Amino acid sequence: MKSRLARFLLLWIPLALAGLGLGAAIEAIRARDALQREGTTLHRVISQRAEQHDAHLTSLAAVLASSTADSATFRAVVEAMQRFYPRIAAVELAGSGAPPEGLDRKAVENLKDFDPAALAARIRELSPGQASTLPSRGGKPFYALVKRVPDNGSEPRALVLVIDATRMAEPESGLPEETALTLRNSSGAVIVQQGRERPPGMAMPELAFERALGSRSQPLVLTLERRPAFAEILPPALLIGWPVASGLAVLLLLAVLRERRASQRAREAMRLHQQDARLAHAMRVNTVGEMASGIAHEITQPLTAILSQSQAGLRLARSGAAKPDELIGVLEANVRHARRAGEILERLRAYVTRREPQPRPHDLNRIVRNVVALTQRDLQERGIALRLELSPSPLQARVDRVAIEQVVHNLVRNAAEAMESNSGGRREITLATRLVEHEAEIAVSDTGPGIAEADLERLFEPFFTTKNGGMGLGLPLCERLVESAGGRISVRSDAGRGAVFTVRFPALAGEQGIAAE
């Protein structure tokens, strides 16, 4: 459970963080693009307003050329201009004297936010037809647009438009929320500042738009700045939805991978099972070849007895002195020997037949006796004694009979081959069955030379063998057959005192075994 949780977190946390980071970057780009669009629109509007100021000055200069500043025509044009364009706070005609000559009390009031000396100096600096801006004093949100007009013969003169920068920079649809607008002159001095910027916090990126107006006479710079809110960069739908969606995706991925691994393990287990079945069948066929002489002897004995009994019965029948009881005895003996031959052939057929394992409750004592019947003749020819120490009561376990018979037979044959070099000592194999702590045990021990300690740990490795010409597959196959029945196999050995192979299976209760039979 912990490993699954660790794998989930190892995949989910980086994926969730990466998704949130990507989503935040996209939202930040959207906010930046939105500010750029708003800034571009406002810059175009303010630039148009600045161009309108130049056009107004040109119109006023044309009217002034054919009249005076006190004429009704000039004043009518000024009044109309201020009525339609409220951002033009005042329009005055000023000279370059100090104080400006020709200014009445109203003009002095309109130009009170500007330094008279600076205004006079600016007028003298300009060429006829040239325009320039003059900042207000005291940081008030006004600036003067000054345009030199032809002289009246006494001193330089200029038309002065007093521009309300607050209205000049006012957006048509209002300033976006949490946005600071700044309008600066060419020297960098702030003319007007509107809105308020969100205070620093939450490590949110600061967005800015800055662009100079296209007007030569009014070289102003527009700046928009804003710091988006946390909810703008990481909206709730993204902050909650993405981790949940990524978590579900990781769970689905892990489930798919788990199913694929399970399927691969099942296919691999099936492949190994098929290989084991083929190998077991090949080894059984090979074993039958090795036991051929013993099997022939076992079958010959009952056949010889049947022949002998039949000939004796035939002689009795021909003599005419045969009694019914004597003939019945001959026939019963023939039946017994025929059944014995049939059992030997049936065990041989079952042992060689290639089939799927069929675990059922079986008596391990009977399995051991079947192996003894198949191997006793071969052991006698080798000069090896076989001793049985079987459990006095049936020892039940759920196994495949043929597979376990093959395991016991392989262990007996290995023990016999291990004692071939022990010509001077006692040569004996002991087959024992017993109940040990709710487990049914089969033990195969020999009096051979034993197994070297260095080889004990590798006995069940495929292709490891201590025999000349051996393939090293017998014991690994035995281990697989035993484990497939839910059991286990182990070995112990003392140098010079033989080896003991022990096979254990979960024991069945006597009642269960009898019922299953």
Side-chain angles (χ1 to χ4, degrees), residues 179 238 244 304 516:
T179 302
L238 175 64
V244 172
T304 301

Side-chain angles (χ1 to χ4, degrees), residues 229-240:
F230 180 81
E232 291 182 68
I233 302 301
L234 286 174
L238 175 64
L239 188 61
I240 298 174

Side-chain angles (χ1 to χ4, degrees), residues 206-246:
E206 184 176 354
L207 307 177
F209 171 87
E210 183 174 292
R211 188 177 299 177
L213 303 185
S215 174
R216 291 184 178 181
S217 61
Q218 302 163 77
L220 306 177
V221 179
L222 172 66
T223 302
L224 291 180
E225 294 177 329
R226 71 183 299 259
R227 191 181 300 275
F230 180 81
E232 291 182 68
I233 302 301
L234 286 174
L238 175 64
L239 188 61
I240 298 174
W242 173 250
V244 172
S246 61

Side-chain angles (χ1 to χ4, degrees), residues 376-497:
Q376 192 168 20
R377 176 66 180 175
D378 179 61
L379 295 177
Q380 289 175 356
E381 292 180 353
R382 293 173 183 245
I384 299 174
L386 184 60
R387 186 160 59 94
L388 295 181
E389 296 180 357
L390 302 183
S391 170
S393 59
L395 197 59
Q396 297 285 339
R398 184 175 293 277
V399 296
D400 179 69
R401 180 179 61 82
V402 175
I404 304 308
E405 284 182 0
Q406 182 175 359
V407 170
V408 177
H409 181 270
N410 285 348
L411 296 178
V412 170
R413 187 174 61 178
N414 286 348
E417 293 175 352
M419 290 188 295
E420 286 182 351
S421 60
N422 190 14
S423 57
R426 185 169 58 95
R427 305 173 72 183
E428 183 179 79
I429 296 176
T430 301
L431 283 172
T433 59
R434 61 181 66 90
L435 182 66
V436 181
E437 296 179 353
H438 306 291
E439 288 186 319
E441 177 184 287
I442 301 175
V444 181
S445 57
D446 61 68
T447 58
I451 303 172
E453 185 176 356
D455 297 334
L456 281 175
E457 296 181 357
R458 302 188 60 191
L459 279 182
F460 297 101
E461 291 182 9
F463 306 108
F464 174 79
T465 180
T466 59
K467 296 186 294 186
N468 294 330
M471 296 182 61
L473 295 176
L475 288 177
L477 177 61
C478 290
E479 184 180 42
R480 286 188 183 178
L481 294 177
V482 170
E483 289 179 350
S484 66
R488 65 183 190 277
I489 184 171
S490 61
V491 59
R492 68 179 187 274
S493 176
D494 295 329
R497 301 183 61 182

